C-alpha cells in the first residue's frame, strides 16, 4: 500500500507517479536517449498531476516548458557537481558505456531530480570503489536531510556503505522473510 492505494497490481509508471523510485542494481542502457532527455520527461510526467498528456501540456504553454527545462538543467548541473560528474554527462546516452560507478551515480542523480516519496536502492553500493561509495553515500545522506518526508529503503549485502550512512532501522532477510529487525548496530553484528 502507498498513499492509501494498493500497488501490487499497478504498472511501474503508475507506481512512479505515486512517488516510488527504484534504483536498479544493473540499470539498462538506452542508446540514443540522453540522460537529460530521460530526466526532462520523467520530471514532466511527475509534475503532470492534472492527468493531461505531455503533448497537450507542450501545446498549451511551450514557453513554460522551455523555462522548466532550463530550471531542470540548472538543478541537474548542481547535482552533477555533488556527484563529481561533468556537465557533459547530461548529453551522454543513458547508461551506455557508463562505468559501474557512473551507472550508480546516474541512478542517484535521477533520485535527486525526482524527489520521490519512497526510494528503493537495490545494491546501490555494489561495484563502487571507495571514492564512489563515499560520493553516493554522501548524496543519499543529503537527500534524506533535504527530503525528510521521503523514505529510503537501502538493500545491500555489505555493511561498508553503513560507514557513511546511519539507518534508522535494519532488517535482516533470509529466503524472502524478515528474520530479525533492529537499530543500526544490528548490521555490524551480522
Amino acid at each position: 500500500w502507498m498513499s492509501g492505494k494498493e500497488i501490487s497490481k499497478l504498472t511501474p509508471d503508475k507506481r512512479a507517479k505515486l512517488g516510488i523510485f527504484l534504483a536498479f542494481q544493473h540499470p539498462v542502457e538506452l542508446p540514443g536517449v540522453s540522460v537529460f532527455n530521460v530526466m526532462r520527461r520523467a520530471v514532466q510526467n511527475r509534475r503532470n498531476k492534472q492527468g493531461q498528456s505531455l503533448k497537450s501540456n507542450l501545446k498549451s504553454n511551450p514557453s513554460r516548458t522551455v523555462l522548466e527545462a532550463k530550471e531542470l538543467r540548472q538543478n541537474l548541473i548542481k547535482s552533477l557537481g555533488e556527484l563529481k560528474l561533468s556537465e557533459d554527462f547530461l548529453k551522454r546516452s543513458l547508461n551506455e558505456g557508463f562505468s559501474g560507478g557512473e551507472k550508480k551515480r546516474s541512478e542517484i542523480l535521477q533520485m535527486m531530480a525526482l524527489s520521490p516519496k519512497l526510494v528503493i536502492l537495490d545494491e546501490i553500493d555494489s561495484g563502487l570503489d571507495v571514492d564512489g561509495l563515499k560520493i553516493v553515500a554522501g548524496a543519499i545522506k543529503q537527500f534524506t536531510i533535504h527530503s525528510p518526508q521521503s523514505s529510503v529503503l537501502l538493500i545491500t549485502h555489505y555493511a561498508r556503505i553503513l560507514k557513511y550512512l546511519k539507518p534508522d532501522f535494519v532488517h535482516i532477510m533470509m529466503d524472502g522473510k524478515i528474520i530479525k529487525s533492529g537499530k543500526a548496530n544490528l548490521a555490524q553484528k551480522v
Side-chain angles (χ1 to χ4, degrees), residues 71-84:
E71 291 169 3
L72 174 62
R73 181 175 288 284
Q74 290 171 345
N75 290 336
L76 289 173
I77 289 170
K78 181 178 179 247
S79 296
L80 287 170
E82 292 173 32
L83 294 168
K84 308 286 190 256

Side-chain angles (χ1 to χ4, degrees), residues 88-185:
D88 286 342
F89 189 79
L90 296 177
K91 297 175 187 170
R92 293 175 64 188
S93 292
L94 185 68
N95 296 320
E96 184 179 38
F98 285 14
S99 69
E102 287 174 324
K103 286 181 181 181
K104 301 300 178 157
R105 292 182 209 188
S106 176
E107 296 285 286
I108 296 300
L109 177 67
Q110 294 169 49
M111 173 194 76
M112 294 165 79
L114 293 169
S115 291
K117 294 177 190 173
L118 174 61
V119 176
I120 303 168
L121 302 174
D122 184 9
E123 296 192 43
I124 199 72
D125 54 340
S126 69
L128 289 176
D129 61 17
V130 174
D131 291 334
L133 185 66
K134 287 179 187 176
I135 291 166
V136 165
I140 294 167
K141 187 174 187 176
Q142 287 303 308
F143 176 80
T144 61
I145 291 168
H146 296 298
S147 303
Q149 75 289 353
S150 297
S151 298
V152 176
L153 173 62
L154 175 69
I155 302 164
T156 185
H157 291 284
Y158 309 102
R160 64 187 194 128
I161 196 168
L162 301 180
K163 285 173 62 173
Y164 309 104
L165 296 172
K166 185 173 187 261
D168 295 322
F169 302 100
V170 172
H171 304 286
I172 308 296
M173 289 188 76
M174 183 181 276
D175 298 324
K177 294 185 173 131
I178 295 176
I179 59 168
K180 190 157 182 89
S181 295
K183 295 289 183 184
N185 62 351

